[in-house]
Amino acid sequence: MSVYDKLKALDITLPPVAVPAAAYVPYVQTGNLVFLSGHIARKDGKPWAAQFGRDISTEEGQAAARAVAIDLLGTLHAATGGDLNRVRRIVKLMSLVNSTGDFTEQHLVTNGASELMGEVFGDAGKHARSAFGVAQIPLGACVEIELIAELA
């Protein structure tokens, strides 16, 4: 089954590449690796501003991380020249989770993105990962995730 068939089965429509909010580009390819800049969680088209341990639950965070992963897939689609079937492997996700000092479930929040990569890419979606708790993310967003993928 192609990646696009899986996306259709999951009822996922890929968004267009977001316009960078600062001095960077959405992605850079070097050799067979493509590095996607961090994407922040959005809700209703605006930054999903919240802090874990204060005003958002782990379960809501998993939904936020899944939404970020869908945005990342839109950017990855552009980076592959419009063919996600060129993705050989999702190599790594790095997740920043806007957290209070006593919140310790960053890894569970990030599962929302990791699990979607597995659903979409199968074994090629299994990746290395880091999940960090941070004091703040641009625009107050609850989650920011970046991605590295290997292309065929």
Side-chain angles (χ1 to χ4, degrees):
M1 179 181 281
S2 84
V3 171
Y4 296 99
D5 291 335
K6 290 178 186 176
L7 290 170
K8 185 175 180 179
L10 293 167
D11 197 29
I12 293 174
T13 301
L14 296 177
V17 176
V19 176
Y24 64 92
V25 294
Y27 60 87
V28 171
Q29 183 173 346
T30 183
N32 290 338
L33 295 178
V34 62
F35 295 76
L36 274 58
S37 294
H39 287 50
I40 63 169
R42 296 188 171 277
K43 188 174 187 178
D44 301 323
K46 298 176 186 170
W48 191 336
Q51 188 173 51
F52 292 90
R54 189 182 72 201
D55 52 12
I56 186 170
S57 71
T58 299
E59 293 74 26
E60 290 172 297
Q62 289 171 340
R66 182 181 173 89
V68 173
I70 291 169
D71 287 345
L72 286 164
L73 289 173
T75 301
L76 187 56
H77 172 77
T80 62
D83 185 6
L84 284 173
N85 292 304
R86 289 185 54 215
V87 173
R88 180 175 288 157
R89 176 145 207 142
I90 302 299
V91 176
K92 184 167 185 183
L93 294 181
M94 195 215 25
S95 175
L96 303 174
V97 179
N98 186 346
S99 311
T100 60
D102 59 349
F103 183 81
T104 61
E105 295 186 340
Q106 291 83 2
H107 62 296
L108 298 177
V109 169
T110 306
N111 279 349
S114 292
E115 290 169 359
L116 181 64
M117 293 300 160
E119 289 177 72
V120 172
F121 294 104
D123 284 343
K126 294 178 182 176
H127 53 272
R129 187 180 89 181
S130 300
F132 298 99
V134 296
Q136 194 52 266
I137 292 175
L139 307 174
C142 59
V143 178
E144 179 176 356
I145 302 173
E146 64 180 46
L147 178 146
I148 302 169
E150 179 187 15
L151 306 181

